[in-house]
Amino acid sequence: MAQVKTAIPQVVFVLGAPGSGKGTQCAKLVEDFKFVHLSAGELLRGETTKGTEDGALIQKMMDEGKIVPVDITCRLLHKSMQESSSIRFLIDGFPRNKDNVDGWERIVGQTADVKFCLFLDCPKDVCLSRIVNRHEGRSDDTPEKFKLRIVTYSKETVPIIEYFGSIDKLRSIPSDRTVEDVYADVKKAIGAEFEIGKTEP
């Protein structure tokens, strides 16, 4: 059944601990479902290379394992969606806390339709092993930085995951398995809302 034609961006938030496989699974969904993948983290890291005041603040917050001010993140996400010709978006690593949720409602609000939050559930020890072995050159991919990030994640992001569960907008997938096994379940969850290989006019 074809989806109703709409110009409103359709969004799936993708959350999980650092190293849970968000980027890997999003890349596969982009290929199969023609999503645009927006990584909050990549957008923020990209801003740090531009020599802006926001970029300097972002770098400082990341070095300390803290969450970047919500207005900066939401502005970057909103701008990226507005500049895209697509209306299907995967936003990974966001929202990370209640402040992010409130900021999204304030800045984006009804201009986007959040379908649900895809949660990649992975044990901390598996996440740490993946991070120290992925060699992507990220400044926060160290055991020390992971410990800071996981504390922030547990304190601020886990309650947001639980919030999406409370409003029946959570799709939880165990991600401590092979990429293919995880994706089989991810694909089912996404396929319940979006037709594979189809894009809206």
Side-chain angles (χ1 to χ4, degrees):
M1 179 178 174
Q3 289 183 299
V4 176
K5 181 177 179 178
T6 174
I8 297 176
Q10 298 179 349
V11 174
V12 174
F13 291 137
V14 184
L15 292 178
S20 59
K22 298 185 294 295
T24 299
Q25 294 299 320
C26 285
K28 295 180 78 65
L29 288 171
V30 166
E31 183 176 348
D32 282 346
F33 289 89
K34 312 307 178 188
F35 279 95
V36 170
H37 174 209
L38 298 178
S39 165
E42 287 182 10
L43 287 173
L44 292 169
R45 282 188 290 275
E47 193 68 18
T48 67
T49 68
K50 297 180 180 178
T52 63
E53 186 175 337
D54 279 352
L57 177 60
I58 291 167
Q59 188 63 60
K60 182 176 185 294
M61 299 291 282
M62 286 183 166
D63 286 344
E64 295 173 356
K66 296 179 181 177
I67 290 176
V68 172
V70 65
D71 283 3
I72 295 175
T73 306
C74 286
R75 282 201 304 268
L76 292 173
L77 289 169
H78 198 203
K79 182 172 182 284
S80 295
M81 287 192 294
Q82 288 180 321
E83 292 176 349
S84 175
S85 60
S86 176
I87 68 165
R88 284 185 175 185
F89 297 93
L90 297 168
I91 300 182
D92 91 59
F94 184 92
R96 295 193 177 199
N97 59 12
K98 186 178 186 302
D99 190 40
N100 280 184
V101 173
D102 293 343
W104 175 272
E105 289 300 323
R106 184 175 67 252
I107 295 172
V108 181
Q110 298 303 309
T111 65
D113 177 14
V114 177
K115 293 298 187 180
F116 56 84
C117 172
L118 179 67
F119 170 44
L120 298 179
D121 189 7
C122 191
K124 294 175 186 177
D125 59 331
V126 176
C127 289
L128 175 58
S129 176
R130 289 175 177 175
I131 277 182
V132 298
N133 288 298
R134 65 186 179 185
H135 306 301
E136 292 179 354
R138 286 173 48 174
S139 63
D140 53 357
D141 274 358
T142 65
E144 295 74 20
K145 293 286 177 64
F146 175 81
K147 290 175 183 177
L148 291 173
R149 293 167 71 195
I150 205 68
V151 166
T152 301
Y153 167 81
S154 299
K155 179 182 177 182
E156 303 202 33
T157 306
V158 169
I160 298 309
I161 293 166
E162 293 170 347
Y163 161 73
F164 281 114
S166 74
I167 61 172
D168 197 29
K169 283 199 171 188
L170 185 70
R171 308 293 184 269
S172 183
I173 308 293
S175 64
D176 56 339
R177 301 172 290 160
T178 67
V179 170
E180 292 74 19
D181 285 347
V182 175
Y183 186 61
D185 287 343
V186 167
K187 192 173 181 179
K188 288 178 186 175
I190 296 293
E193 288 280 353
F194 299 91
E195 287 188 71
I196 189 167
K198 298 287 186 181
T199 55
E200 292 73 28

